[in-house]
Amino acid sequence: MYQLIGAPVSLYTGKVRCYLQFKGIGFEEVLATPQVFKELIIPRTGVRYIPVLVTPDDQVIQDSTEIIDHLEQRFPDRPVYPTGPCQRLVALLLEVYGDEWLVNPAMLYRWKIEENREFAIQEFGRTRLPDASAAEQYAAGLEASAPFAGALPRLGITDHSRAAIEQSYLTLLDELNTHFSSHDYLLGDKPCIGDFGLIGPLYAHLYRDPASGRLMRERAPQVARWVERMISPDASSHDGAFMPDDQVPDTLLPIINRMFEEQVPVLLETARQLKEWTEANPGVEDIPRAIGTLRYRLGDMEEERLVFPYTVWMWQRAHDFHNSLDAVGLSAIASVLSSQQMGALSEPLSVRVKRQSNKLQIDADRGVD
Ligand SMILES: N[C@@H](CCC(=O)N[C@@H](CS)C(=O)NCC(=O)O)C(=O)O
């Protein structure tokens, strides 16, 4: 039996849980208590992240994307990667967008809205001390959640950026609400890897935290319904298919445009700075979690955030797929992406990265393209 080690309050655990349920893979969920961190997560993964998947033959995998890719090999039924070039690229892009950009509204709404914050602290306490009293859990939760609540400035979530992040999220909710009014999932009648990228922030934080959940149900009820389909998949999604003929619904285009406007400049700047970091740190094998700072823009607002090299690994997946396409595939993509957007994807990567024992390293074997 597979074991999913994580927590109800965890964004990336939510992503993998939904995936396992959709695929119909039997699993048991294990709470990531301090004891589980000490006895399993840290010794077996070398890092302190959840979720972690323990396979029936005792392999231990960290990273939601690695977990999904591992399971896709073993459970090829109901694939979550579409095969058509347009659908596959959109799915890969929206995974990066959910995983690495919607973390911003997810963290903002959780830690800046008092009702959500109180709920999250209690939830962190329930993970740390599952059998303790509510008061003991709250005290433990305050301590356990402090690094997360304290991470906001590092992500560029400040009093200065708050209104712009809220505005971007509310508009995204409207765009998704329009999309889910006519489609059950992003690309048809079953979820793709992009749905799993979006569900982490949109379920574990923005649906489950009480004030955000009310906001979603009131402003974007179709998004809330999609979340409910994702967390309790039924037979119709199990038997569902992606849209025929590699179609990408027009209702996704504003969301793709939003990603290219908001997140892609950050991803490209991250790759640029990572190259500089590599040149300045010859021989350093493991890339740190953050290297330096960059300025990002949302509309007219500009703010500083740390540079997270891991995001290059996620972007590389979409980039590599785009650049593996032949002329026919690329001309199909041109019906979905603008030439500027395709230009960003075909811009050579200044540096390539790989994950080695859960650490990010420069991928010297493949060189840059
Ligand atoms: N890219 C990783 C991210 C994992 C991650 O950041 N998990 C959070 C919980 S949702 C965590 O463990 N954070 C601990 C930390 O940031 O130190 C994945 O997809 O699994």
Side-chain angles (χ1 to χ4, degrees):
M1 169 83 103
Y2 285 91
Q3 284 188 330
L4 174 65
I5 304 178
V9 75
S10 147
L11 188 152
Y12 301 95
T13 304
K15 174 183 173 189
V16 175
R17 187 189 304 110
C18 287
Y19 169 83
L20 288 165
Q21 285 169 344
F22 166 65
K23 294 287 281 194
I25 301 170
F27 71 102
E28 146 188 53
E29 191 157 339
V30 176
L31 205 55
T33 60
Q35 190 186 352
V36 173
F37 265 97
K38 191 164 145 230
E39 290 173 2
L40 195 145
I41 299 177
I42 298 170
R44 298 290 305 274
T45 69
V47 290
R48 294 167 176 272
Y49 294 120
I50 52 172
V52 168
L53 184 79
V54 184
T55 69
D57 58 356
D58 201 35
Q59 290 185 65
V60 176
I61 309 170
Q62 199 295 303
D63 190 88
S64 58
T65 299
E66 297 258 22
I67 292 171
I68 290 176
D69 286 359
H70 172 91
L71 292 170
E72 282 294 286
Q73 299 281 324
R74 276 152 194 76
F75 298 91
D77 281 355
R78 297 178 203 150
V80 302
Y81 288 98
T83 50
C86 294
Q87 291 188 343
R88 193 178 183 108
L89 182 63
V90 164
L92 286 166
L93 287 169
L94 293 180
E95 186 195 14
V96 187
Y97 182 55
D99 267 28
E100 300 298 329
W101 196 246
L102 297 186
V103 176
N104 299 333
M107 293 293 276
L108 167 68
Y109 280 83
R110 171 166 289 175
W111 298 113
K112 291 276 191 190
I113 293 177
E114 196 51 26
E115 185 184 354
N116 286 343
R117 186 175 165 275
E118 289 293 310
F119 172 78
I121 290 171
Q122 193 68 44
E123 288 287 286
F124 270 82
R126 288 209 305 141
T127 306
R128 186 172 270 202
L129 296 177
D131 302 319
S133 70
E136 286 166 334
Q137 288 178 339
Y138 187 85
L142 258 183
E143 193 187 311
S145 65
F148 293 84
L152 267 57
R154 293 200 282 282
L155 295 165
I157 305 168
T158 61
D159 289 343
H160 174 63
S161 63
R162 179 175 182 164
I165 298 172
E166 285 173 356
Q167 189 50 51
S168 164
Y169 172 61
L170 294 175
T171 316
L172 172 72
L173 273 185
D174 297 344
E175 291 162 354
L176 285 171
N177 198 56
T178 303
H179 175 79
F180 291 126
S181 305
S182 35
H183 301 279
D184 276 356
Y185 298 94
L186 291 176
L187 292 171
D189 302 331
K190 69 167 189 174
C192 66
I193 189 70
D195 291 86
F196 294 107
L198 297 187
I199 197 64
L202 286 168
Y203 164 66
H205 287 225
L206 292 159
Y207 175 93
R208 197 168 174 275
D209 292 351
S212 310
R214 278 199 307 278
L215 170 70
M216 184 187 290
R217 283 189 292 277
E218 280 160 20
R219 181 166 180 128
Q222 296 301 335
V223 181
R225 298 282 309 282
W226 164 80
V227 170
E228 286 152 9
R229 286 192 288 280
M230 289 290 288
I231 60 176
S232 316
D234 62 13
S236 71
S237 77
H238 287 161
D239 302 336
F242 297 127
M243 293 171 80
D245 306 325
D246 198 24
Q247 279 176 61
V248 172
D250 284 350
T251 43
L252 287 187
L253 300 184
I255 298 158
I256 296 166
N257 292 341
R258 177 171 298 286
M259 175 191 179
F260 272 88
E261 263 168 50
E262 295 180 358
Q263 185 187 21
V264 171
V266 171
L267 295 168
L268 297 179
E269 173 62 11
T270 302
R272 199 192 62 73
Q273 289 203 25
L274 181 57
K275 181 170 170 54
E276 281 181 5
W277 179 90
T278 309
E279 287 162 356
N281 293 276
V284 179
E285 207 162 32
D286 294 338
I287 302 169
R289 187 169 187 185
I291 49 158
T293 60
L294 56 74
R295 293 192 74 75
Y296 75 99
R297 293 183 66 87
L298 282 183
D300 297 335
M301 191 284 306
E302 215 180 286
E303 183 54 290
E304 192 171 87
R305 76 193 313 258
L306 295 191
V307 174
F308 298 102
Y310 170 86
T311 56
V312 175
W313 184 73
M314 292 295 292
W315 172 250
Q316 201 171 273
R317 288 158 48 81
H319 168 96
D320 287 352
F321 177 68
H322 179 261
N323 292 302
S324 72
L325 292 171
D326 60 14
V328 177
L330 288 173
S331 79
I333 300 293
S335 65
V336 178
L337 298 188
S338 68
S339 54
Q340 204 185 356
Q341 291 168 340
M342 287 177 74
L345 275 162
S346 49
E347 195 171 296
L349 287 172
S350 45
V351 64
R352 293 194 70 86
V353 288
K354 62 181 178 187
R355 292 186 79 252
Q356 194 74 44
S357 306
N358 297 312
K359 303 276 168 45
L360 196 72
Q361 298 183 350
I362 296 299
D363 189 357
D365 298 343
R366 278 200 58 181
V368 291
D369 43 23

